[in-house]
Amino acid sequence: MSPTNGGTSKRRLSLGFDRFSGLYIWALFIVVFSIWQPHLFPTGATVHSVASEQAISGILALALVIPLAAGTFDLSVGASINLATVIVTWLQSSHHWGMWPAIVVTLVVSAVIGGLNAVIVVVLHVDSFIATLGTASIIAAIQTIVANNNQPLPPTSTAWSNLTQRDVAGFQIVFVYLLVIAIVLWWVLAHTPVGRYLYAVGGNPEAARLSGVRVGSWVATSLVASSLLAGVGGIFFASLLGPSLTYGQGLLLPAFAAAFLGSTQLLPGRFNVWGTLIALYVLATGVKGLQFVTGVQWLNDMFNGVALVAAVSFAVWRQRAAVSVRRTAHSAGAAPHEPSPGTEDPAAVGLTEEGE
Amino acid sequence: MVSDALVVSGLTKSFGATRALDGLNLRVVAGEVRALLGENGSGKSTFIKTLSGFHEPDPGGTVTVEGEVLAFGNPEASRRLGLRFVHQDLALVDKLSITDNFFLGSHFPTTLGTISPRRARDEVKRALESVGLDADPRTTVGELAAAERTGVAIARAVHGLRSAHARVLVLDEPTATLPDEDVNRLLDTVRAVSARGIAVLYVTHRLDEVFRVADSATVLRDGREVLTTPVADLTLEDLIRHLGGDQQVRPGAATAAARIPGAPVLQVDALVTGRLRGVSLTASAGEVVGIAGLTGSGRDEFCAAVFGASERAAGQVRIGGKVIRSLRPTEAIAHGTGYVPANRRRDASMPYLSARENVSISRIGEFWKFPAIRRAAEKMSVSGWFQRLNVRPPDGVEREFRTFSGGNQQKLVFARWLRREPRLILADDPTQGVDIGTRALLHRQLVEAAERGTAVVIASADAEELAAVSSRVLVVRNGRFVTELRGDEISVSEVSRHLVNPKETQEGPTP
């Protein structure tokens, strides 16, 4: 499979070993583990538990996809999801708020955090990677102040536990929430002008600006959206599993792994919703299968770390392969009508714009 | 008896059906400064790239350096024979010292494997002095004046540490980006190099420099040498005549002459930005206003500042009567402006998005009807533009932008704006680096847009281009509009003549 063609004509003909590789690997995992652990692995229970366990991670990964589409990092979502969990339970259990007011305030706080990120990135022009690394630490500090380093007690209302502790066709309802969020986000990114603007900004902010796209507004919007979605994930987590002071940071890396691996799937080179979910569940299936085989603790970390590095390496390799093939074509005289190659050096494009 | 430093005979280089070099002959002796002139596309850069080993020429031609035959297509062979190049991009690292820049890519002098800073410094000092530069090698390159930076690049190119002696130095438009006051210092450096017996091939567009520094001049046209003469026998008028060739008639279909301009669309009042020092212009519906100027004159800053791509220090811009604030491209666009930037890769391309997305981004709302962007309508519209502008490959609507050739990418940038039917088009060097066919097509688009009532402003380094499309031409010199040419006054030679200050060249032809 040639990784070089950017056109669709060849893509349609091929089996798509690059853009559908995740699905093939997924199938491989399922077959291998079904043979290996025929009694444990291929069961409805496995399907339900993998789907539900990954729902919160999935929401976080989707939160990341929004700013990443606009070429912007949000490393603060891990801290945001944590803070949301603590605030929403603390308001209910320590301050006896009702569920809905607590949720609304939590979402407002999340949006404010996103706004803070936006100000630092858009107005102060701090690189988003650094900016959100910094705010992540600030958010963690705020969380400690709010919680006073004590894990708040879980609220006791039934409405609160009913929010997530329900099943739909054997799946926990958070999985359904994940699907709803995914559909909405897919619609926004793939089928509305908003998605076009975000991808344009991610594609080249200067060109987007000079084409009339309000680059600053869209970057800001994407950061607010990612924080909000992290807040939503935090609320679900709190309802489902109770308050926790630390789990959020642990979700950050798997979420990035899924988003980056997802950008090699379906629409290679582009952060996209369904690719991200496929990546997430491929990784989760692999981890689950191995857990049946062996009980070691380090599997998850190892799997996600390897996946993140592999995904990014693959994306880089793909671009570089494309560049070197084009080069060869040039020197062989296949692209003759450019007497001044200095003006169009694909290598420079490939290497400098390789944001992934 | 002086020896031949560089002898080129029968050098030909084809790109497909086009001959960029067509049997070029050239002879330069040691210590000679030879000005190499020619319009864009005359074959200068192909020639230089052939010398440097970047291009491999068609079989048959030969190049010898002091009698030794050059093996083509091999940069290391070029270097070994003593060919040295300083390009417009000097390849210096601003944050490092002169010494570090000297030894990047070669070897630092070492003692027992340790870099010996003193030896390195002394060596660099000698190299700098040999080209007449008096600078401390420890200075950070970023702190140097522009001319000194070029000087450092030259000193690095000719100093003979790593390999054979430098015999021929090729300078590719070394003064293009220099402020006028720095040019003299650079010319001193060039003289110092030639005094060491190194032949210099000096490529320039600034005609006055020919008389100030060169011993002889060669003019290229269509890949051939059309004139080689000692500068002592040359006048500015001769030079311009040979550069422009016989094309006194304005080429292309663009007979913009008999058009009566309509209402004013663009009004620029006392614009100050970068090198531009208070320029005013009114462009009316239906006219094509050309802006001519040498590199460094401020020509290339006008369109960007008007559109809002770069900041304005002062002055007012009105489009369709509405004041457009600085750095607000969205306002300019909302009032009907389209902008074709000079640097396509940096300012106009989203390389990994499809051609479709690159074209439709300028107005996506047209295809949006709740609940989704109508992909089929969008595709059809972009396909229409593929046909209209003859974009290759014709079925490439979904291909990534970066997979198109430069000319086709430029067509897509044109399509992005033309589809909005703008009332003002600002185009900055819109055909640089595209082939002749595409160039004519893009020119036709601009002229046809004007005929439909668009005001077009085109800034270009290329007099031929301006002559082809403009209904009037404004000439920028030192940040001001100094001349306006209308109708029959517009010709390649007339535009070229005004680019250079006549006073600067009058004192020129001294041997």
Side-chain angles (χ1 to χ4, degrees):
Chain A
M1 178 59 215
S2 144
T4 61
N5 86 81
T8 45
S9 49
K10 257 188 182 169
R11 272 186 196 165
R12 271 191 216 114
L13 293 176
S14 76
L15 285 172
F17 278 107
D18 61 340
R19 52 195 294 250
F20 296 126
S21 56
L23 294 176
Y24 291 106
I25 294 170
W26 202 359
L28 185 73
F29 279 164
I30 292 170
V31 170
V32 167
F33 289 118
S34 298
I35 294 168
W36 201 342
Q37 297 285 339
H39 302 296
L40 291 171
F41 188 79
T43 63
T46 306
V47 174
H48 293 148
S49 76
V50 169
S52 307
E53 282 166 11
Q54 294 301 318
I56 306 282
S57 300
I59 292 172
L60 203 64
L62 294 183
L64 283 176
V65 166
I66 307 167
L68 285 174
T72 306
F73 279 89
D74 187 352
L75 297 176
S76 70
V77 290
S80 295
I81 194 171
N82 240 342
L83 179 64
T85 301
V86 169
I87 288 184
V88 79
T89 45
W90 174 71
L91 285 176
Q92 292 180 79
S93 59
S94 307
H95 293 261
H96 309 292
W97 285 38
M99 177 181 86
W100 289 111
I103 287 176
V104 168
V105 168
T106 305
L107 292 180
V108 168
V109 170
S110 301
V112 168
I113 289 170
L116 177 69
N117 283 332
V119 168
I120 298 173
V121 172
V122 176
V123 181
L124 304 181
H125 298 285
V126 178
D127 180 75
S128 63
F129 198 93
I130 302 298
T132 55
L133 195 61
T135 49
S137 181
I138 296 171
I139 296 162
I142 294 173
Q143 181 202 303
T144 310
I145 296 169
V146 169
N148 204 10
N149 225 10
N150 291 320
Q151 197 156 294
L153 295 170
T156 48
S157 80
T158 38
W160 174 244
S161 38
N162 279 346
L163 190 63
T164 53
Q165 296 174 18
R166 272 190 288 167
D167 285 1
V168 176
F171 294 99
Q172 270 178 347
I173 198 163
V174 276
F175 179 66
V176 178
Y177 294 153
L178 171 67
L179 290 182
V180 171
I181 291 170
I183 288 168
V184 171
L185 194 56
W186 162 73
W187 171 69
V188 171
L189 288 181
H191 293 286
T192 72
V194 176
R196 285 302 175 81
Y197 296 142
L198 290 175
Y199 284 123
V201 174
N204 178 351
E206 187 60 8
R209 182 175 82 88
L210 297 180
S211 303
V213 178
R214 295 171 194 275
V215 173
S217 315
W218 290 116
V219 169
T221 306
S222 74
L223 286 169
V224 172
S226 63
S227 282
L228 260 179
L229 211 44
V232 169
I235 292 166
F236 289 153
F237 184 93
S239 162
L240 190 64
L241 299 163
S244 158
L245 293 179
T246 52
Y247 75 100
Q249 293 302 339
L251 291 187
L252 187 65
L253 188 101
F256 265 101
F260 273 95
L261 202 53
S263 77
T264 67
Q265 300 296 307
L266 305 184
L267 299 163
R270 191 173 298 209
F271 291 94
N272 67 90
V273 168
W274 301 118
T276 301
L277 288 193
I278 288 173
L280 180 81
Y281 281 106
V282 170
L283 294 176
T285 306
V287 170
K288 192 74 177 174
L290 283 173
Q291 277 170 352
F292 284 129
V293 178
T294 154
V296 292
Q297 293 292 312
W298 44 263
L299 265 178
N300 221 340
D301 289 342
M302 177 65 87
F303 228 71
N304 284 314
V306 169
L308 181 60
V309 173
V312 178
S313 315
F314 180 71
V316 172
W317 168 80
R318 212 175 150 268
Q319 310 296 9
R320 293 179 60 120
V323 168
S324 66
V325 169
R326 249 194 84 177
R327 268 236 184 94
T328 326
H330 261 286
S331 54
H337 277 292
E338 258 190 357
S340 55
T343 56
E344 288 301 322
D345 182 7
V349 178
L351 298 179
T352 54
E353 309 219 349
E354 178 55 66
E356 291 98 332
Chain B
M1 167 81 205
V2 272
S3 61
D4 288 339
L6 177 71
V7 179
V8 176
S9 66
L11 197 63
T12 299
K13 170 71 186 167
S14 316
F15 294 98
T18 322
R19 282 198 165 175
L21 289 179
D22 192 1
L24 179 69
N25 298 309
L26 198 76
R27 205 174 134 258
V28 186
V29 299
E32 179 181 0
V33 179
R34 169 72 57 91
L36 188 61
L37 302 138
E39 301 279 306
N40 290 342
S42 61
K44 283 175 315 200
S45 37
T46 308
F47 175 48
I48 293 173
K49 284 173 177 163
T50 307
L51 288 183
S52 71
F54 185 90
H55 286 320
E56 205 163 325
D58 301 353
T62 57
V63 171
T64 58
V65 180
E66 294 197 351
E68 291 181 65
V69 179
L70 174 70
F72 291 122
N74 178 351
E76 192 44 44
S78 297
R79 191 179 167 85
R80 227 174 14 245
L81 283 199
L83 294 171
R84 298 287 186 276
F85 302 85
V86 174
H87 298 285
Q88 263 189 57
D89 170 16
L90 301 173
L92 295 173
V93 183
D94 279 353
K95 286 184 180 165
L96 297 182
S97 70
I98 298 179
T99 308
D100 289 342
N101 267 289
F102 252 73
F103 294 105
L104 282 177
S106 62
H107 299 288
F108 276 92
T110 54
T111 307
L112 300 173
T114 311
I115 292 176
S116 159
R118 172 155 308 157
R119 270 176 59 202
R121 240 182 358 251
D122 291 348
E123 201 174 309
V124 171
K125 186 82 187 157
R126 275 198 304 279
L128 292 175
E129 277 165 1
S130 75
V131 299
L133 275 180
D134 179 30
D136 186 336
R138 286 170 296 192
T139 318
T140 309
V141 164
E143 292 168 15
L144 296 173
E148 289 173 324
R149 276 206 290 274
T150 311
V152 168
I154 292 173
R156 181 175 65 176
V158 299
H159 102 292
L161 169 86
R162 192 157 76 96
S163 45
H165 272 304
R167 285 158 168 166
V168 180
L169 173 67
V170 180
L171 294 172
D172 193 358
E173 294 196 49
T175 53
T177 54
L178 289 189
D180 283 344
E181 51 276 22
D182 273 21
V183 170
N184 278 330
R185 300 169 68 182
L186 183 79
L187 297 185
D188 287 341
T189 305
V190 173
R191 289 186 195 105
V193 170
S194 105
R196 289 176 53 192
I198 298 171
V200 179
L201 264 183
Y202 189 91
V203 179
T204 186
H205 280 300
R206 292 190 171 187
L207 302 187
D208 55 315
E209 288 166 8
V210 175
F211 298 101
R212 287 160 69 188
V213 73
D215 303 309
S216 55
T218 292
V219 176
L220 300 188
R221 202 163 65 227
D222 304 324
R224 266 174 297 212
E225 168 207 27
V226 293
L227 173 77
T228 293
T229 176
V231 165
D233 302 344
L234 190 67
T235 64
L236 185 61
E237 281 68 32
D238 278 346
L239 198 51
I240 289 168
R241 196 161 40 79
H242 280 98
L243 277 170
D246 308 320
Q247 305 169 335
Q248 296 303 327
V249 204
R250 295 166 63 184
T255 41
R259 224 180 294 123
I260 305 149
V265 173
L266 171 69
Q267 290 152 292
V268 178
D269 194 27
L271 170 69
V272 179
T273 181
R275 293 205 178 89
L276 289 175
R277 295 182 269 171
V279 293
S280 303
L281 171 156
T282 302
S284 302
E287 65 172 343
V288 180
V289 182
I291 297 182
L294 296 171
T295 308
S297 62
R299 173 209 81 232
D300 49 343
E301 293 165 294
F302 183 79
C303 289
V306 168
F307 182 70
S310 62
E311 200 160 6
R312 303 197 286 263
Q316 194 186 49
V317 172
R318 276 177 297 165
I319 296 172
K322 298 284 188 325
V323 175
I324 307 294
R325 288 177 290 168
S326 177
L327 287 177
R328 290 288 197 288
T330 42
E331 284 183 12
I333 293 168
H335 290 99
T337 309
Y339 171 57
V340 179
N343 188 337
R344 180 177 55 244
R345 187 162 72 202
R346 191 189 67 197
D347 297 334
S349 73
M350 294 174 273
Y352 294 103
L353 300 191
S354 65
R356 170 176 55 77
E357 289 162 301
N358 269 278
V359 171
S360 62
I361 188 68
S362 60
R363 187 167 61 196
I364 188 72
E366 174 182 328
F367 306 114
W368 162 252
K369 188 164 177 246
F370 186 85
I373 290 171
R374 287 172 303 163
R375 193 69 69 87
E378 185 191 1
K379 235 174 182 166
M380 200 141 67
S381 160
V382 176
S383 289
W385 283 103
F386 266 61
Q387 261 174 28
R388 196 166 149 186
L389 301 183
N390 194 23
V391 179
R392 302 275 134 191
D395 59 349
V397 178
E398 294 298 326
R399 288 172 72 119
E400 289 175 19
F401 186 84
R402 67 194 170 108
T403 63
F404 290 84
S405 74
N408 285 303
Q409 290 185 358
Q410 194 68 356
K411 291 177 189 173
L412 294 174
V413 175
F414 266 63
R416 175 186 296 167
W417 295 114
L418 289 173
R419 62 184 283 273
R420 287 182 57 103
E421 296 175 358
R423 62 171 148 179
L424 171 65
I425 293 176
L426 300 166
D428 225 340
D429 255 330
T431 63
Q432 60 171 327
V434 310
D435 63 272
I436 300 164
T438 301
R439 185 174 144 103
L441 183 143
L442 295 177
H443 285 164
R444 215 156 44 239
Q445 292 300 320
L446 291 176
V447 171
E448 282 172 16
E451 279 162 2
R452 290 190 302 269
T454 303
V456 178
V457 176
I458 170 173
S460 176
D462 185 346
E464 218 173 289
E465 169 161 270
L466 294 175
V469 299
S470 310
S471 36
R472 71 193 158 100
V473 174
L474 294 166
V475 179
V476 191
R477 224 160 47 212
N478 292 326
R480 295 182 198 283
F481 289 151
V482 291
T483 312
E484 177 170 335
L485 304 170
R486 290 174 172 275
D488 292 342
E489 298 168 346
I490 303 172
S491 67
V492 176
S493 55
E494 195 64 6
V495 172
S496 309
R497 196 167 66 81
H498 285 284
L499 291 176
V500 199
N501 187 348
K503 278 183 219 135
E504 282 170 28
T505 46
Q506 268 165 14
E507 75 221 33
T510 46

